[in-house]
Coordinates of all heavy atoms in Angstrom, one line a residue:
E55 N -19.0 123.2 54.2 CA -20.3 122.7 54.6 C -21.4 123.5 53.9 O -21.3 124.8 53.7 CB -20.3 123.0 56.1 CG -21.7 122.5 56.7 CD -21.7 122.8 58.3 OE1 -20.8 123.2 58.8 OE2 -22.8 122.4 58.9
R56 N -22.4 122.8 53.5 CA -23.6 123.3 52.9 C -24.6 123.6 54.1 O -25.0 122.6 54.7 CB -24.2 122.5 51.9 CG -23.4 122.2 50.7 CD -23.3 123.5 49.9 NE -24.6 123.9 49.4 CZ -25.1 123.5 48.2 NH1 -24.4 122.6 47.4 NH2 -26.3 123.8 47.8
Q57 N -24.8 124.8 54.5 CA -25.6 125.1 55.6 C -27.2 124.7 55.4 O -27.9 124.3 56.4 CB -25.6 126.6 55.9 CG -24.3 127.0 56.4 CD -24.3 128.5 56.7 OE1 -25.1 129.3 56.3 NE2 -23.3 128.9 57.6
S58 N -27.6 124.6 54.2 CA -29.0 124.2 53.9 C -29.2 122.6 54.2 O -30.2 122.2 54.7 CB -29.4 124.5 52.5 OG -28.5 123.9 51.6
T59 N -28.2 121.8 53.9 CA -28.3 120.4 54.0 C -27.4 119.8 55.1 O -27.5 118.7 55.4 CB -27.9 119.7 52.7 OG1 -26.6 120.0 52.4 CG2 -28.8 120.1 51.6
H60 N -26.5 120.7 55.7 CA -25.6 120.4 56.7 C -24.6 119.2 56.3 O -24.1 118.4 57.1 CB -26.3 119.9 58.0 CG -27.1 121.0 58.6 ND1 -26.6 122.1 59.3 CD2 -28.5 121.1 58.6 CE1 -27.5 122.8 59.7 NE2 -28.7 122.3 59.4
D61 N -24.4 119.2 55.0 CA -23.4 118.3 54.5 C -22.0 118.9 54.7 O -21.7 119.9 54.2 CB -23.6 118.0 53.0 CG -24.9 117.3 52.7 OD1 -25.3 116.5 53.6 OD2 -25.5 117.4 51.6
R62 N -21.2 118.1 55.4 CA -19.8 118.6 55.7 C -18.8 117.6 55.2 O -18.9 116.4 55.4 CB -19.6 118.7 57.3 CG -18.4 119.3 57.8 CD -18.3 119.3 59.3 NE -17.1 120.0 59.8 CZ -17.1 121.2 60.0 NH1 -18.0 122.1 59.8 NH2 -15.9 121.7 60.5
L63 N -17.7 118.2 54.5 CA -16.7 117.4 54.0 C -15.4 118.1 54.3 O -15.1 119.3 53.9 CB -16.9 117.4 52.4 CG -15.9 116.5 51.7 CD1 -15.9 115.1 52.1 CD2 -16.1 116.6 50.1
C64 N -14.5 117.4 55.0 CA -13.2 117.9 55.3 C -12.1 117.3 54.5 O -12.4 116.4 53.6 CB -12.9 117.6 56.8 SG -14.0 118.3 58.0
G65 N -10.8 117.7 54.7 CA -9.8 117.2 53.9 C -9.7 117.9 52.6 O -9.2 117.3 51.6
Q66 N -10.2 119.1 52.5 CA -10.1 119.9 51.2 C -8.7 120.3 50.9 O -7.9 120.5 51.7 CB -11.0 121.0 51.3 CG -12.5 120.8 51.5 CD -13.1 119.9 50.5 OE1 -13.0 120.2 49.3 NE2 -13.8 118.8 50.9
A67 N -8.4 120.4 49.5 CA -7.1 120.8 49.1 C -6.9 122.2 49.3 O -7.7 123.1 49.3 CB -7.0 120.4 47.6
D68 N -5.6 122.5 49.7 CA -5.2 123.9 50.0 C -4.7 124.4 48.7 O -3.5 124.4 48.3 CB -4.1 123.9 51.1 CG -3.6 125.3 51.4 OD1 -4.5 126.3 51.1 OD2 -2.5 125.5 52.0
E69 N -5.6 125.1 47.9 CA -5.3 125.6 46.7 C -4.6 127.0 46.7 O -4.0 127.4 45.8 CB -6.4 125.6 45.7 CG -7.1 124.4 45.5 CD -8.4 124.4 44.8 OE1 -8.8 125.6 44.4 OE2 -8.9 123.3 44.4
L70 N -4.8 127.7 47.8 CA -4.3 129.1 47.9 C -3.1 129.2 48.8 O -2.6 130.3 49.0 CB -5.4 130.0 48.5 CG -6.7 130.1 47.7 CD1 -7.7 131.0 48.5 CD2 -6.4 130.6 46.3
G71 N -2.5 128.1 49.3 CA -1.3 128.2 50.1 C -1.5 128.7 51.5 O -0.7 129.3 52.1
Y72 N -2.8 128.3 52.0 CA -3.1 128.8 53.3 C -2.2 128.2 54.4 O -1.8 129.0 55.3 CB -4.6 128.3 53.7 CG -5.0 128.6 55.1 CD1 -5.4 129.7 55.6 CD2 -5.1 127.4 55.9 CE1 -5.8 129.8 56.9 CE2 -5.5 127.5 57.2 CZ -5.9 128.7 57.7 OH -6.3 128.8 59.0
F73 N -1.9 126.9 54.4 CA -1.0 126.3 55.4 C 0.4 126.7 55.3 O 1.2 126.5 56.2 CB -1.2 124.8 55.3 CG -2.5 124.2 55.7 CD1 -3.3 123.5 54.8 CD2 -3.0 124.4 57.0 CE1 -4.5 123.0 55.1 CE2 -4.2 123.9 57.3 CZ -5.0 123.2 56.4
E74 N 0.7 127.4 54.3 CA 2.2 127.8 54.2 C 2.4 129.2 54.8 O 3.6 129.7 54.9 CB 2.6 127.9 52.7 CG 2.5 126.6 51.9 CD 3.4 125.6 52.6 OE1 4.5 125.9 53.0 OE2 3.0 124.4 52.6
E75 N 1.3 129.9 55.3 CA 1.5 131.2 55.9 C 2.1 131.0 57.3 O 2.0 130.1 58.0 CB 0.1 131.8 56.0 CG -0.5 132.1 54.7 CD 0.3 133.2 54.0 OE1 0.7 134.2 54.6 OE2 0.4 133.1 52.7
V76 N 2.9 132.1 57.6 CA 3.7 132.0 58.9 C 2.8 131.9 60.1 O 3.1 131.2 61.0 CB 4.7 133.2 59.0 CG1 5.4 133.2 60.4 CG2 5.6 133.2 57.8
P77 N 1.7 132.7 60.2 CA 0.8 132.5 61.5 C 0.3 131.1 61.6 O 0.2 130.6 62.7 CB -0.2 133.6 61.2 CG 0.4 134.6 60.3 CD 1.2 133.8 59.4
V78 N 0.0 130.5 60.5 CA -0.5 129.1 60.6 C 0.5 128.1 61.0 O 0.4 127.3 61.9 CB -1.2 128.7 59.3 CG1 -1.7 127.3 59.3 CG2 -2.3 129.6 58.9
R79 N 1.8 128.3 60.5 CA 2.9 127.4 60.8 C 3.3 127.6 62.3 O 3.6 126.7 63.0 CB 4.1 127.8 59.9 CG 3.8 127.5 58.4 CD 3.6 126.1 58.1 NE 4.8 125.4 58.4 CZ 5.8 125.1 57.4 NH1 5.6 125.7 56.2 NH2 6.9 124.5 57.7
V80 N 3.3 128.9 62.8 CA 3.6 129.1 64.2 C 2.6 128.5 65.1 O 2.9 127.9 66.1 CB 3.7 130.6 64.4 CG1 3.8 130.9 65.9 CG2 4.9 131.2 63.7
A81 N 1.3 128.6 64.7 CA 0.2 128.0 65.6 C 0.4 126.4 65.5 O 0.1 125.8 66.5 CB -1.1 128.4 65.0
Q82 N 0.8 125.9 64.4 CA 1.0 124.5 64.4 C 2.1 124.0 65.3 O 2.1 122.8 65.8 CB 1.3 124.0 63.0 CG 0.1 124.1 62.0 CD 0.5 123.7 60.6 OE1 1.7 123.7 60.2 NE2 -0.5 123.5 59.7
G83 N 3.1 124.8 65.5 CA 4.2 124.5 66.4 C 3.9 124.8 67.9 O 4.2 124.0 68.8
L84 N 3.3 126.0 68.2 CA 3.2 126.4 69.6 C 1.9 125.8 70.3 O 2.0 125.5 71.5 CB 3.1 127.9 69.6 CG 4.3 128.7 69.3 CD1 4.1 130.2 69.4 CD2 5.4 128.2 70.3
M85 N 0.9 125.5 69.6 CA -0.3 125.0 70.3 C -0.1 123.7 70.8 O -0.4 123.4 72.0 CB -1.5 125.1 69.2 CG -2.0 126.5 68.9 SD -2.4 127.5 70.2 CE -3.9 126.8 70.7
P86 N 0.5 122.7 70.1 CA 0.7 121.4 70.7 C 1.8 121.4 71.8 O 1.6 120.7 72.8 CB 1.2 120.5 69.5 CG 0.7 121.1 68.3 CD 0.7 122.7 68.6
S87 N 2.8 122.3 71.6 CA 3.7 122.5 72.7 C 3.1 123.0 74.0 O 3.4 122.6 75.0 CB 4.9 123.4 72.2 OG 5.5 122.9 71.1

Side-chain angles (χ1 to χ4, degrees):
E55 181 181 358
R56 295 288 298 270
Q57 293 183 338
S58 58
T59 59
H60 298 287
D61 292 335
R62 185 181 181 88
L63 183 61
C64 296
Q66 300 297 309
D68 182 19
E69 300 176 354
L70 301 178
Y72 167 80
F73 291 118
E74 300 300 325
E75 294 295 320
V76 177
V78 180
R79 300 290 294 271
V80 170
Q82 290 176 346
L84 288 182
M85 294 302 291
S87 302

